[in-house]
């Protein structure tokens, strides 16, 4: 399915929609999750916790969204967190330089490139304003931080542009109080804020967005001392360096030098295993190794986990080996000690980061799961059952003859254990179609035979297969099907 069809589904079935849409002055880049979207997002995050956090014995924190100016001076965001922009001298419209050049001249220039490269490309290709055909001024940098004033004195502070900085500044306390031991993973889920120049395409580029970030603190001298590597050495990952993506096991990626060490290979492996369980087609994924001009300013080695969609490759996760950039910077700014003991060795840990965009991940899951069943004239959201916003629809064939009361009784008995939807209204076929579109893997229909023998019809979403089952067996059927793998 394409972007437009996913957008239609999102709006009509309560997955997500624009913020403040009833007002004409609503700002772009802000979207809200409806009931279906919240349910999908929460289950996605529970799978993330199960497959990454609990699997690896990590810690999870919940940090503040507003942080002091000193944090972002130390992190480098106030000096480096900027996008290249160009402004029309005629109509004063502002554009991202790299995207405008790519869209008009089909030339890819990394956003971190020197400003003169953008100016030269605009001049050589005679690129003009797409709105009025005016000329552009020289390329400048635009810092994307959201500044806020604290208290009546309006002390300078900022909304966080990423969730990881609180992990870094909290590291000494967490390592001490939680009896930490390297390697130590610390995770956080929450909102980040970036003043994007041109937010677009709903969840794909937002000014307020969800991240699930993991920072793994490690001893830089022990990056190949990873016993857990055996768990994923046969896991297949797709890596792109220069040419097309190549499928290889994590062990092959390590031995060929495609990834630098067992430590990085291990986390690329478990990340691939996680996304396979979300229902994303991992045969359409790649870990793209970034060049020097593409990497973030803090990264020594960087891989972007990208997935192919109908609107191109989307970056879902940034995997960055940040070395000791963050801890050494905060130690210098704060004058606090960030070194820890690893056995008998005193070290300043290095950091490997797995920074996941939740919103983009959810969009990709929806696109890869939405199918047009032309034979049966229906749209089907074939989500993994454990991610479905609704696990089961409970339907009465008609509302009379005691069927409504029996249906209500069944719903009451299972609604505390599963996400169930009660529906008495409309033709049964249309009710099935609505459940198919929201991704419910099962529909249970109560009919006149139910009153005679305590059986119901259970319908499977993908195959449309229907069978009679005893009411007493509903719980075990749902338990076996919608639990996490």
């Amino acid at each position: 399915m394409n972007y437009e069809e996913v957008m239609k589904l999102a709006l009509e079935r309560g997955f997500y929609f624009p913020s403040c849409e009833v007002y004409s002055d609503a700002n772009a880049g802000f979207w809200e999750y409806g009931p279906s979207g919240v349910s999908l997002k929460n289950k996605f995050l529970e799978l993330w916790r199960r497959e990454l956090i609990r699997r690896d014995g990590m810690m999870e924190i919940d940090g503040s969204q507003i942080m002091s100016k000193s944090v972002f001076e130390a992190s480098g965001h106030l000096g480096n967190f900027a996008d290249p922009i160009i402004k029309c001298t005629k109509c004063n419209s502002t554009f991202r330089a790299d995207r405008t050049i790519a869209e008009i001249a089909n030339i890819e220039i990394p956003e971190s490139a020197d400003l003169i490269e953008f100016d030269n490309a605009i001049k050589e290709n005679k690129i003009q304003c797409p709105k009025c055909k005016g000329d552009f001024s020289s390329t400048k940098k635009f810092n994307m931080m959201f500044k806020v004033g604290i208290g009546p004195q309006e002390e300078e502070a900022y909304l966080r542009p990423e969730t990881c900085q609180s992990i870094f500044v909290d590291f000494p306390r967490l390592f001490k109080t939680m009896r930490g031991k390297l390697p130590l993973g610390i995770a956080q889920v929450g909102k980040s804020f970036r003043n994007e120049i041109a937010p677009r395409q709903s969840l794909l580029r937002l000014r307020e967005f969800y991240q699930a970030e993991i920072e793994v603190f490690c001893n830089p001298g022990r990056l190949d001392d990873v016993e857990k590597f055996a768990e994923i050495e046969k896991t297949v990952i797709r890596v792109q360096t220069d040419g097309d993506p190549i499928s290889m096991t994590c062990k092959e990626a390590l031995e060929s030098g495609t990834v630098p060490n067992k430590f990085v290979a291990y986390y690329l492996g478990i990340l691939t295993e996680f996304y396979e369980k979300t229902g994303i087609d991992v045969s359409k994924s790649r870990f793209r190794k970034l060049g020097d001009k593409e990497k973030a300013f803090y990264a020594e080695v960087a891989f972007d986990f990208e997935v192919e969609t109908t609107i191109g490759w989307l970056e879902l996760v940034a995997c960055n080996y940040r070395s000791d950039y963050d801890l050494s910077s905060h130690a210098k700014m704060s004058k606090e000690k960030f070194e820890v003991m690893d056995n008998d060795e005193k070290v300043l840990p290095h950091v490997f980061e797995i920074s996941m965009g939740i919103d983009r991940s959810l969009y990709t899951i929806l696109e890869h799961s939405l199918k047009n069943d032309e034979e049966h004239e229906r749209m089907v959201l074939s989500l993994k059952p454990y991610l479905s916003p609704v696990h089961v629809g409970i339907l009465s064939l008609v509302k009379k003859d005691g069927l409504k009361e029996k249906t209500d009784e069944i719903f009451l008995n299972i609604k505390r254990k599963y996400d169930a939807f009660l529906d008495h209204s409309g033709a049964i076929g249309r009710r099935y179609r609505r459940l198919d579109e929201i991704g419910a893997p099962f529909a249970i229909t109560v009919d006149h035979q139910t009153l005679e023998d305590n059986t119901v019809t259970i319908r499977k979403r993908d195959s449309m297969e229907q069978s009679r089952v005893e009411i007493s067996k509903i719980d075990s059927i749902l338990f076996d099907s919608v639990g996490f793998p």
Side-chain angles (χ1 to χ4, degrees):
M1 293 291 102
N2 60 35
Y3 173 82
E4 288 74 20
E5 289 166 315
V6 175
M7 189 75 254
K8 183 174 184 293
L9 175 81
L11 295 173
E12 293 181 353
R13 295 292 176 234
F15 282 94
Y16 54 86
F17 39 80
S19 178
C20 307
E21 61 180 330
V22 298
Y23 288 102
S24 60
D25 64 347
N27 292 303
F30 300 93
W31 286 69
E32 299 180 356
Y33 286 100
S36 301
V38 168
S39 183
L40 174 62
K41 176 168 64 69
N42 288 343
K43 288 166 183 170
F44 173 86
L45 288 173
E46 180 54 30
L47 183 67
W48 172 79
R49 290 187 173 99
R50 178 190 177 96
E51 295 298 317
L52 296 175
I53 307 307
R54 291 199 285 273
R55 170 177 179 163
D56 221 40
M58 300 180 186
M59 304 175 186
E60 184 176 351
I61 68 167
D62 187 358
S64 178
Q65 295 182 3
I66 298 175
M67 305 182 76
S68 72
K69 178 182 178 181
S70 296
V71 170
F72 301 112
E73 285 181 334
S75 70
H77 283 86
L78 289 181
N80 298 298
F81 197 62
D83 278 343
I85 62 170
I86 47 178
K87 192 170 185 178
C88 176
T89 58
K90 184 176 180 182
C91 70
N92 290 323
S93 296
T94 301
F95 302 87
R96 277 258 316 237
D98 54 333
R99 291 208 192 109
T100 303
I101 293 169
E103 290 168 1
I104 295 177
N106 197 29
I107 298 173
E108 297 289 340
I109 302 177
E111 61 187 68
S112 58
D114 295 333
L115 298 183
I116 190 66
E117 292 188 43
F118 300 106
D119 292 337
N120 290 340
I122 291 169
K123 182 179 180 181
E124 292 169 4
N125 293 276
K126 299 180 181 179
I127 296 174
Q128 294 180 304
C129 174
K131 290 186 177 180
C132 71
K133 302 302 179 184
D135 294 328
F136 285 117
S137 59
S138 299
T139 307
K140 297 180 180 179
K141 287 286 188 179
F142 171 73
N143 191 288
M144 296 184 292
M145 299 283 288
F146 275 110
K147 184 178 178 180
V148 296
I150 303 296
Q153 302 301 320
E154 296 193 345
E155 295 178 54
E156 186 175 347
Y158 293 86
L159 289 171
R160 63 187 184 190
E162 56 186 14
T163 64
C164 63
Q165 291 305 319
S166 53
I167 295 176
F168 298 139
V169 298
D170 292 346
F171 172 73
R173 174 180 291 276
L174 292 170
F175 193 88
K176 179 180 179 181
T177 60
M178 303 307 294
R179 301 174 67 191
K181 182 179 179 181
L182 298 182
L184 174 65
I186 303 177
Q188 181 170 196
V189 173
K191 284 191 171 182
S192 295
F193 307 84
R194 297 180 184 179
N195 195 7
E196 292 283 353
I197 299 159
R200 56 183 180 176
Q201 294 177 310
S202 64
L203 301 187
L204 305 188
R205 188 163 292 277
L206 296 161
R207 287 177 167 139
E208 177 184 356
F209 56 96
Y210 283 99
Q211 284 183 298
E213 292 198 296
I214 295 170
E215 309 298 327
V216 187
F217 299 85
C218 60
N219 185 330
R222 296 183 177 178
L223 298 180
D224 280 308
D225 184 14
V226 183
E227 293 182 4
K228 297 178 294 185
F229 181 75
E231 298 176 17
I232 55 86
E233 65 179 8
K234 295 181 181 179
T235 298
V236 175
I237 60 177
R238 287 170 53 79
V239 185
Q240 178 179 346
T241 52
D242 297 321
D244 294 329
I246 300 174
S247 295
M248 61 185 77
T249 66
C250 289
K251 184 177 181 180
E252 290 169 341
L254 177 68
E255 291 174 346
S256 65
T258 305
V259 295
N261 49 62
K262 286 185 178 180
F263 189 77
V264 172
Y266 170 75
Y267 288 103
L268 299 190
I270 66 171
L271 186 63
T272 297
E273 292 181 355
F274 163 75
Y275 270 105
E276 189 166 20
K277 291 182 178 179
T278 69
I280 284 176
D281 185 354
V282 294
S283 69
K284 297 181 179 179
S285 71
R286 66 186 183 190
F287 284 101
R288 187 170 66 86
K289 190 172 184 178
L290 304 188
D292 290 339
K293 289 189 176 181
E294 291 183 284
K295 293 184 299 185
F297 59 88
Y298 46 71
E300 273 193 10
V301 178
F303 291 89
D304 279 352
F305 179 77
E306 301 175 335
V307 177
E308 189 175 14
T309 68
T310 57
I311 52 175
W313 288 91
L314 289 182
E315 175 200 337
L316 304 189
V317 188
C319 304
N320 298 306
Y321 186 76
R322 302 174 71 123
S323 67
D324 64 355
Y325 174 87
D326 302 282
L327 297 191
S328 62
S329 297
H330 287 300
K332 182 178 179 181
M333 175 69 71
S334 67
K335 305 296 191 292
E336 297 290 335
K337 296 186 182 299
F338 281 72
E339 296 92 346
V340 298
M341 296 302 296
D342 184 30
N343 294 324
D344 297 326
E345 181 185 4
K346 187 175 184 180
V347 297
L348 180 63
H350 282 201
V351 176
F352 182 67
E353 173 181 71
I354 306 169
S355 177
M356 181 181 297
I358 297 173
D359 312 280
R360 287 183 169 197
S361 295
L362 296 181
Y363 168 82
T364 306
I365 291 170
L366 289 175
E367 185 181 298
H368 280 210
S369 302
L370 186 60
K371 297 174 174 56
N372 183 6
D373 183 357
E374 296 181 354
E375 180 183 353
H376 299 101
E377 298 181 347
R378 63 178 187 143
M379 298 291 285
V380 186
L381 187 61
S382 294
L383 294 169
K384 294 290 187 182
Y386 42 82
L387 292 184
S388 296
V390 173
H391 293 138
V392 59
I394 312 295
L395 319 175
S396 57
L397 186 63
V398 293
K399 294 174 68 175
K400 57 185 180 180
D401 302 330
L403 297 187
K404 178 183 182 299
E405 290 74 15
K406 190 64 175 177
T407 305
D408 290 345
E409 177 188 323
I410 294 172
F411 175 71
L412 183 65
N413 287 335
I414 69 172
K415 70 176 184 177
R416 297 281 293 275
K417 293 183 69 175
Y418 307 100
D419 285 320
F421 181 75
L422 180 66
D423 194 352
H424 292 298
S425 303
I428 196 70
R430 285 199 293 272
R431 283 185 275 170
Y432 284 152
R433 297 297 186 265
R434 287 197 291 266
L435 288 170
D436 291 341
E437 290 185 12
I438 208 169
F442 297 104
I444 290 173
T445 303
V446 177
D447 54 22
H448 291 92
Q449 186 178 337
T450 305
L451 304 180
E452 299 173 5
D453 61 9
N454 264 343
T455 66
V456 293
T457 298
I458 187 164
R459 173 186 181 270
K460 296 181 179 179
R461 175 195 65 203
D462 295 328
S463 67
M464 299 178 65
E465 174 190 340
Q466 298 189 35
S467 58
R468 300 294 300 191
V469 301
E470 296 177 11
I471 292 175
S472 60
K473 294 183 179 178
I474 291 175
D475 181 72
S476 62
I477 291 172
L478 294 178
F479 181 82
D480 291 340
S481 301
V482 305
F484 286 110

